[in-house]
Amino acid sequence: MTRLDELKSSGLKATLPRIKILEVFQRTERRHMTAEDVFKALLHEGADIGLATVYRVLMQFEQAGLLSRSNFESGKAVFELNEGEHHDHLVCLDCGHVEEFYDAEIEQRQRAVTVSRGFELQEHSLSLYARCTRQNCERKGAK
């Protein structure tokens, strides 16, 4: 199923702003984008879509399950395509770079903690905040 089909099947009409915003997420190499990032990408393409429309469409996409939203240390909402696979995030405190990861042991431990305390886990998100220790990190000083 294409994203356009997903858009239609989610009950949202395939308007030009929705299509353009969805295309930004499909084309970009960046997995996590703020509304401002999306707006800048649209401006770069020459699309005449206002920031208020970008915010509104991102909220609609999140409600429809097309996008997932995270709130990292910056306090800004960051969106990514919802590809149906759970992952956690590692966020660099120096430059804000976000890396996704999945660790089966962490997932198992979280479920065990939940059950041991009398709960049934429905969903969760884990964000680890750290400083990059790579000597040759190309993003150092980029913030």
Side-chain angles (χ1 to χ4, degrees):
M1 179 183 290
T2 68
R3 292 281 177 200
L4 189 56
D5 292 335
E6 287 180 52
L7 184 63
K8 291 176 183 175
S9 70
S10 69
L12 296 172
K13 291 182 182 176
T15 63
L16 184 62
R18 288 180 182 147
I19 292 168
K20 290 284 189 191
I21 291 169
L22 194 54
E23 286 174 350
V24 167
F25 280 94
Q26 291 173 320
R27 282 194 314 264
T28 187
E29 291 181 15
R30 296 178 62 187
R31 292 269 308 150
H32 305 89
M33 298 181 73
T34 65
E36 291 80 9
D37 294 332
V38 174
F39 179 67
K40 287 176 188 173
L42 291 167
L43 279 179
H44 183 72
E45 295 173 5
D48 186 23
I49 300 172
L51 184 57
T53 300
V54 171
Y55 275 105
R56 186 173 55 254
V57 169
L58 292 177
M59 294 302 121
Q60 292 168 347
F61 283 1
E62 180 190 12
Q63 290 173 347
L66 296 173
L67 296 179
S68 296
R69 176 173 46 168
S70 298
N71 290 298
F72 298 129
E73 183 203 61
S74 70
K76 290 186 176 182
V78 182
F79 297 87
E80 64 184 296
L81 285 174
N82 181 358
E83 296 175 331
E85 302 221 352
H86 172 76
H87 60 268
D88 296 309
H89 298 98
L90 181 60
V91 183
C92 180
L93 289 169
D94 294 321
C95 70
H97 173 71
V98 179
E99 287 191 22
E100 297 174 354
F101 72 94
Y102 176 83
D103 185 298
E105 194 173 326
I106 289 174
E107 298 302 319
Q108 181 181 12
R109 185 71 188 119
Q110 289 176 111
R111 284 189 296 277
V113 167
T114 305
V115 169
S116 73
R117 295 201 160 102
F119 290 88
E120 182 180 326
L121 185 63
Q122 299 299 308
E123 64 179 78
H124 77 279
S125 65
L126 174 66
S127 298
L128 303 175
Y129 297 89
R131 296 202 188 285
C132 177
T133 59
R134 294 182 210 129
Q135 294 300 315
N136 59 348
C137 179
E138 68 276 3
R139 291 178 294 274
K140 278 197 175 158
K143 189 173 182 180

